[in-house]
Amino acid sequence: MIFCILSCSKSQLDKANTDPTKANGADFDPNGLLASAQINYANTGYYQLVYHSTMMQVLASTYYYYNNGDKYINVANFTDYQGAIFTQSYGETSAIRQMQTLCRQRDSTRYNNLIGIGDIMFVLIMQRITDMYGDCPYSQADMAQQGVKYPAYDRQQDIYNRMLIDLDYAVTRLDPSQPKPSADLFYNGDIIKWKKLAYSLMLRIAMRLTKVDPATAQIWAEKAAAGGTFAGISDNAIVQTDASNSKSQNAISVALRTLTDYEQVRWSKTLIDFLRKTHDPRLSVIGEIPSSGLKNNGNESLSGNPDSSLQRGMPNGYDLLGGATDISKSPGYPGGTGTGADLAPLGKYSRPRTSIYLKLGGPIFILTYAETELLLAEAAVRGWNAGGSAQEHYVNGVTGALQSLNQQDSQTFISQNDINNYLNANPLDMSSQNNALQMINTQYWVATGTNFNFIENWFNWRRSGYPLLTPVIYPGNVTNGTIPRRMIYLSTEILTNPDNYKAAVARLPGGDALTSRVWWDIDK
Amino acid sequence: MKLICTLIIVIILFSSGRVFAQTKVSLNYKNARFEQVLTDIEKQTVYRFIYRSGGLPSQPVNIHVRNEEALPVLRNILKGTSYAYYMVSSTLIAISSAGDSTRKVQLQGIITDENNEPLQGASINIKNTGKGIESDARGRFSITCSPDEVIRISSIGFVPQEITVNSTNADINIQLQPEIKGLDEVIVTALNIKKADRKVGYSISTISGGEFTKARESNMAMSLEGRIAGLNVSGVNGGPASSARLLLRGATSMNAGSPLIVLNGIPIDNSQRGVATEYGGADYGDGLANINPDDIDAITVLKGSAASALYGARAANGVILITTKTGKKNVNALVEYNVNLSYDHAINSTDFQYEYGQGSQNMRPQTVAGAIASGLLSWGERLDGAQTIQFDRNYYPYSAVKNNIEMFYRNAPALTNTISISGGNNKTTFRASASNVYDESIVPNNYMDRKTFNLNTSYNINNHLELNFNGNYIYEKAENRSYLSDGPMNVNYGISFLATSARQSSLKPGYDPGTGDESQWNSNVYISNPYFVVNKQVNNSSRSRFITSTVLKYKFSDNVYLQGRLGYDISTDGLLNVLPTGTAFTANQQGGLNALSKAQTSELNSDLLFSARKSLLQKLILDFSAGGNFRKRQYNSSSTSGNQFIIPYLYTPSNLVSTESTYSVSEIINQSAYYSADFDFNHLVNLTATGRYDVFSTLPANNRGIFVPGISGSFLFSDLIHLPALSSGKFRASYAKTSGEPVQPYTTQLYFTSNNTVNGVPLGSFSAELPNYNLKPFTLTEFETGLNLNFFKDRLVFDITYFNRITHNEITQAQQSIATGFTSAYVNVGKTKNTGVEFLLSGIPVQTKNFAWKADINFSQIHNILLSIDGSSQYLLTGRYRPLNANTALVAGKSITQIMAYDYKKDASGNIVIGSDGVPERGDLKAMGGTLPTHYGGITNTFRYKRFDLSFLIDYKFGNKVLSGTEDYSYLYGLNKATLPGRETGIVAKGVNESGQPNTVSVPAYNYYPALATNISALSVLDGGFIKFRQLRLGYTFSPLFMPRIFQSVAVDIVGRNLFTILKFTKNIDPESEFSPDLTYAGIEGESLPATRTLGLNINLKFK
């Protein structure tokens, strides 16, 4: 009873109900939340592998899990994978909004740049959500603390308008003379680079509207070009992951280092054939043929042969089941390596080079100079004021893409001479607008694909229609043999936000399906 | 604190009063017979007399006294006669002729049962001498003893009697009464306050300890299944000592859990140490599983909130009181040894198809790669016995393999040895025991080893002060508790779904002998090779736990006491959970460390209780108790995890490529004060009023305290209306309120952490659970009424209870849309209503000298409804099953919890709508039924024939649905018999397409059925009702004359548990199979261990 008498005071009970292992808002540095949102935004891991990498025929796989994207059939945790970006992204926007709240509670002036960067991050994340699913909460997102329990799904058109306006406001707010953010994984607090990122993002948002609303696209693309987008690959927004920390390792590398993934994920025939056809110098750096035999195929310490003449892509849409769709029945199947029990049926196909793409602390590309310049090239092709000619931007874009491989890993250095030769052999075809757009957007596909940014790769394909991909026809596919055009909403929304979810689905032509099209993705 | 002051005043008030027992008499007689006077004294006082027939003074009595102590009066009237009185006990007085107390007495007599049939084999012992004999076939005995010695007469199944020898009782007839729960039996209630059953105004059930020792379960909670009206027990199929879910009277709230477990008056920790979810994990057991059944004397279940009002919030789900065995005063030391050996055997509950074999796309494997890709797929060709390649590179006949479960799981022995010694002298009692349980799982690499030590002592320091100490030390370790539910490291997944023509032996040894890497055998690397797991897994957990309770009781008088209690329960849990080197799904097959952790949980309870009894009026007695409680619960844990062991098989954190560590702490404090006032009017009507004030540290300062009252009453109407057959009849009613707090601390403000870095840059984070600054305690109100009738001298007992409870302002962690920025929020919203009837019938239809039959029937019917979640929500998501296309949820207007699954989509005329791919389309997500049974109960029959006794228990549950992962996967993998139609022809599903035309699209079976089960998760919603033959026990008790110098008693029992299922509706699973004890996962099935049948032998030896 002595315990009782001694500890009955209110303050002691308050203390008992205070978690000693955590900080309260007053003691916590909001900067850490920026880094948190950045690494989470970057590290999409398996989700983009099982769907977007193979859907876009950048990678190909016979492995069961990849059937979701490689063959458009529902397998394994497809419900989770489809909803993952929804879950993950709103977690990131929540961190951003919380960061801004803490900044305002402390000192809006001192944290002015961090608040502005927060707005840019918010738009960056939101664009991924809306491009992935369509209508989604924006104006009422992350307002639980304000009492919003059932956030309304905004129409994508409204979200696009809001994103552009919010970005425009955010960029004007940034001030290099004010304190910099201290935990910035993109630019280590460089405000000038953040401004360029904001305009580059504005350009990407604007260009996403080319199908549905070219007029608006032009206004904002020109505004972005005038504001100043990325000027070189040193402006690329990249997150360097950390091999020594299991929570901040490169999740794509971790996934691809799983035995079955390692043995059965290859570069797609579509990509490798394109690189070979254009004598692309990237062919000699991105791929390798594994050492012979199944055991060696699974040995991650044995590097393969990167000789460009040997590289061969694997066709999408095949399996190892021994039936009609077995990889051995594919046209031009080169045979496996090894014999008997050690037969590696995929042994002659190129895999992403382990030493470059599978580093546990490898980089993750967020938004690059190459992408921006290629979008500007397209804007110029469309006759808009992109601050330079289409050819100039195209050259910059391709150069940036080839140079960025050096940021992927220092081994993947491509000399300026090789770049020049490649550009001279493949000048921008201005004979028609379509030809130019095809060439630019195919380069966008190669650039984002070889940077392992498969989500953006897919978004731009849906917008531009390039490259022209032949869908895989595999029995049991759930898309009538077409490449998916959106992801299905997070499955729990039907219970946790039922009315708003149902209203959004009702607005979607075709319903909440992989084949439905979001607002900007009109069929033309 | 005010409470303390109030308490002190009350103590002073009571202790300054006089002695309250009825010991005074008023007599007024002239020339009365002695017997007449004694009868009057008996009427007025607590004293009772015994004397030999005709053994009373013959002189007439003349007396006139008013309100005087009876004993001096008695001495007075015996003065001058040749008789004297002896106090046999504090209230029992023997009267006999004096003067010959020194000589030896030849005591003889006949022992009979309640029907006056002679009892053979009853023991007659002279206490404290070791001398004893047995009654003969005519119930007769003869023994030489000295006056004042105490003789104890006992026989199994009867209440023992003691008599004090004096010169006058040389020839006695003793009638033993059978052990049956009469209303005058004293039972333990809340706070360990003992009360006569007749005074209890609410429903209580008691089970004696013997029920747990002979037919053992490694988690003793499982032994309660089917035995107690109102108690619903379900266990996790997770190997030895897995967790159990105990729900009393249904789900009282949205996050209802187990009742509060109270050991010898002190609440103990019963938290789970890790449970499986839809994404896998092992079950590491709960707190109750640590208790050694051999130490249990009795278990009392307090069901309603009137019964548990004195425990406050933690008792909102009821209370289970465990009383451990104690020594007896003034007996020779008793040494007891018990050994129990049992074997668990896996039951195959599946009824899969065995017409088509392993393969995909209607083709058997052609290559090793094809065999690997189809290891889990039974979409092959019709079985023909032809030699076919397998994933282990050998050829086997392509024929049905039906014994994979029987062959993979072992017959697992469990051996328990317990030794105890107990005894006492006139001041102290003690009982000490030591026990070892070695319990193997049917999964070959998994076992649990538990050692328990128990000491229970009492010491009368002086006539007023008594000290009790109870200590339990438990050390438990388990290796490789099986993973459940999901595929990674879960042996059960692979074995359950192995293709119909694949042999489990082809999976051996599970790894490449050269490299140690896991062997591939199916297309999904996250479904582990069962033999790799068996041979390589490291998942070792240990717990050391010390539970003590110390009670100091000061008796001011026989009727007033003050008691202080201190209980401390501290446990340290260690875990080393490794993904071994070679695990296929780990990066570079280098394995990983899931956890190397240490956690400490402690629960401190100290309370002070004042109790007094006082006669307010001649026929009105007040029992009053008041007290205060301080509770502090603390938990801390630290854990390291990481990826990729650098040196193979060296499982240390420093040998990892990357690591991560976590540290967490929690603390909860409750302060409470309570009182109970019990008014007993003429032994006829009893009224109890209780009140409790709680202060919860987990709530915001302005909402921390709450007072909750309760009242209960009983009416012993049989004392007014005397019916010949009715031996007693009691009506009871109660109304009570309980309050509660959040389960978790730290929910009232938002916290931030920085627990990770990227290349040195700190990563900030905060909880995704939205805090609530305005939480207040929830309340639960309950009305209960019941009737208890005992007929034919208690040979037939009938008890019925009706209850109605409503929970208000429930605190729950409600899932919400992540788009709000938080995945869940602590809210104070819900309202739940539970009504139900509990029924108990117990009787002894036959009772003769050699044969007796006793039957107990209990059943419960629960109606549960979630009245509201909050103003606007209709659903709250709870758990999911692994296929992820259905879940459980709280649904307003329905019972807790509901299975939500997708049904067929139908057009206006009720036709099933078929998609353009030929597969039925998914309709609405609908509530498909509750996961908790609405009707459950059990029937126990016990037969005794001479020294044999046979008992069996049949129990049942009905009214619940199961969401079965196995069922979904059986469609996916082509195992379900329902996947047979159309195997070779394809399926044209019956229904119409979107435009209303009959469907004509033909789909191959191997595409159709997986897509069907994926779209229509209603196919996996099954009826979970069952009737099971739960237990059969045959016992033999040796004659007390068997080696009488060595043994006091010898008993042998053969036991079978879970022998067979009499009725079930699920084709491919055991309807009770679950992987988590959380209410969230109630009714969710999937890839846990198979159900087991247990056969065992128990030998109990009590030494002289």
Side-chain angles (χ1 to χ4, degrees), chain A residues 259-475:
Chain A
L259 180 65
T260 31
D261 302 63
Y262 195 71
E263 286 174 346
Q264 296 184 48
V265 176
R266 298 292 184 254
W267 286 113
S268 166
K269 178 173 164 47
T270 315
L271 178 78
I272 297 294
D273 287 358
F274 176 79
L275 296 182
R276 186 167 300 291
K277 194 177 80 190
T278 54
H279 303 287
D280 194 316
R282 282 173 283 206
L283 194 57
S284 59
V285 292
I286 62 165
E288 63 186 5
I289 301 293
S291 303
S292 187
L294 188 62
K295 227 170 230 180
N296 288 339
N297 262 243
N299 185 342
E300 293 170 26
S301 325
L302 272 184
S303 52
N305 188 343
D307 182 345
S308 66
S309 67
L310 297 174
Q311 304 308 312
R312 181 185 278 110
M314 182 165 85
N316 293 83
Y318 289 91
D319 56 40
L320 292 175
L321 293 173
T325 47
D326 190 273
I327 188 69
S328 61
K329 312 277 167 58
S330 67
Y333 176 65
T337 60
T339 52
D342 196 37
L343 176 75
L346 312 182
K348 288 190 177 161
Y349 294 121
S350 299
R351 71 182 177 209
R353 270 173 87 184
T354 304
S355 59
I356 291 163
Y357 285 102
L358 270 60
K359 290 182 295 188
L360 293 174
I364 300 174
F365 289 80
I366 308 296
L367 209 152
T368 62
Y369 174 62
E371 292 161 53
T372 309
E373 285 299 309
L374 290 168
L375 290 176
L376 286 173
E378 174 170 337
V381 167
R382 290 175 183 273
W384 304 346
N385 181 2
S389 71
Q391 178 65 26
E392 279 164 19
H393 285 303
Y394 174 80
V395 166
N396 288 343
V398 174
T399 306
L402 290 157
Q403 286 174 340
S404 75
L405 289 178
N406 185 234
Q407 293 173 316
Q408 189 86 51
D409 187 87
S410 55
Q411 289 178 66
T412 53
F413 181 74
I414 298 172
S415 70
Q416 193 56 48
N417 197 33
D418 287 350
I419 296 173
N420 292 342
N421 289 342
Y422 176 65
L423 281 167
N424 291 337
N426 300 281
L428 182 60
D429 178 358
M430 293 292 283
S431 61
S432 75
Q433 191 182 25
N434 274 349
N435 286 353
L437 292 184
Q438 174 165 11
M439 216 167 161
I440 291 165
N441 285 296
T442 303
Q443 281 299 333
Y444 198 96
W445 172 71
V446 179
T448 48
T450 54
N451 281 336
F452 267 26
N453 186 356
F454 305 116
I455 293 178
E456 177 55 26
N457 187 294
W458 175 56
F459 288 163
N460 194 62
W461 170 82
R462 282 159 56 201
R463 175 190 74 86
S464 68
Y466 299 117
L468 299 167
L469 298 173
T470 309
V472 158
I473 306 291
Y474 189 87

Side-chain angles (χ1 to χ4, degrees), chain A residues 158-325:
Chain A
D158 299 335
I159 295 172
Y160 262 78
N161 288 333
R162 275 288 302 272
M163 287 196 296
L164 289 163
I165 292 163
D166 288 355
L167 204 53
D168 192 29
Y169 174 73
V171 75
T172 55
R173 164 166 205 158
L174 296 183
D175 180 356
S177 68
Q178 286 183 325
K180 302 190 299 181
S182 63
D184 169 16
L185 300 178
F186 290 179
Y187 297 124
N188 197 22
D190 186 333
I191 301 300
I192 303 293
K193 289 193 173 174
W194 271 102
K195 283 197 174 222
K196 294 185 202 169
L197 172 63
Y199 283 117
S200 302
L201 180 59
M202 185 187 288
L203 172 69
R204 186 170 84 183
I205 294 170
M207 292 304 288
R208 210 75 100 208
L209 304 179
T210 51
K211 268 203 286 192
V212 69
D213 186 0
T216 305
Q218 178 177 359
I219 294 167
W220 287 95
E222 289 181 350
K223 186 179 174 76
T229 55
F230 291 151
I233 65 161
S234 62
D235 290 336
N236 284 353
I238 297 172
V239 168
Q240 292 293 340
T241 56
D242 185 346
S244 68
N245 190 314
S246 47
K247 278 281 161 65
S248 38
Q249 289 179 336
N250 186 320
I252 283 204
S253 306
V254 172
L256 287 178
R257 281 178 178 271
T258 306
L259 180 65
T260 31
D261 302 63
Y262 195 71
E263 286 174 346
Q264 296 184 48
V265 176
R266 298 292 184 254
W267 286 113
S268 166
K269 178 173 164 47
T270 315
L271 178 78
I272 297 294
D273 287 358
F274 176 79
L275 296 182
R276 186 167 300 291
K277 194 177 80 190
T278 54
H279 303 287
D280 194 316
R282 282 173 283 206
L283 194 57
S284 59
V285 292
I286 62 165
E288 63 186 5
I289 301 293
S291 303
S292 187
L294 188 62
K295 227 170 230 180
N296 288 339
N297 262 243
N299 185 342
E300 293 170 26
S301 325
L302 272 184
S303 52
N305 188 343
D307 182 345
S308 66
S309 67
L310 297 174
Q311 304 308 312
R312 181 185 278 110
M314 182 165 85
N316 293 83
Y318 289 91
D319 56 40
L320 292 175
L321 293 173
T325 47

Side-chain angles (χ1 to χ4, degrees), chain B residues 60 73 226 442 837 886:
Chain B
V73 171
I442 52 172
V837 175

Side-chain angles (χ1 to χ4, degrees), chain B residues 255-272:
Chain B
N255 40 23
S258 279
L260 175 68
I261 309 296
V262 176
L263 181 68
N264 295 323
I266 308 281
I268 60 166
D269 172 57
N270 186 35
S271 49
Q272 254 89 34

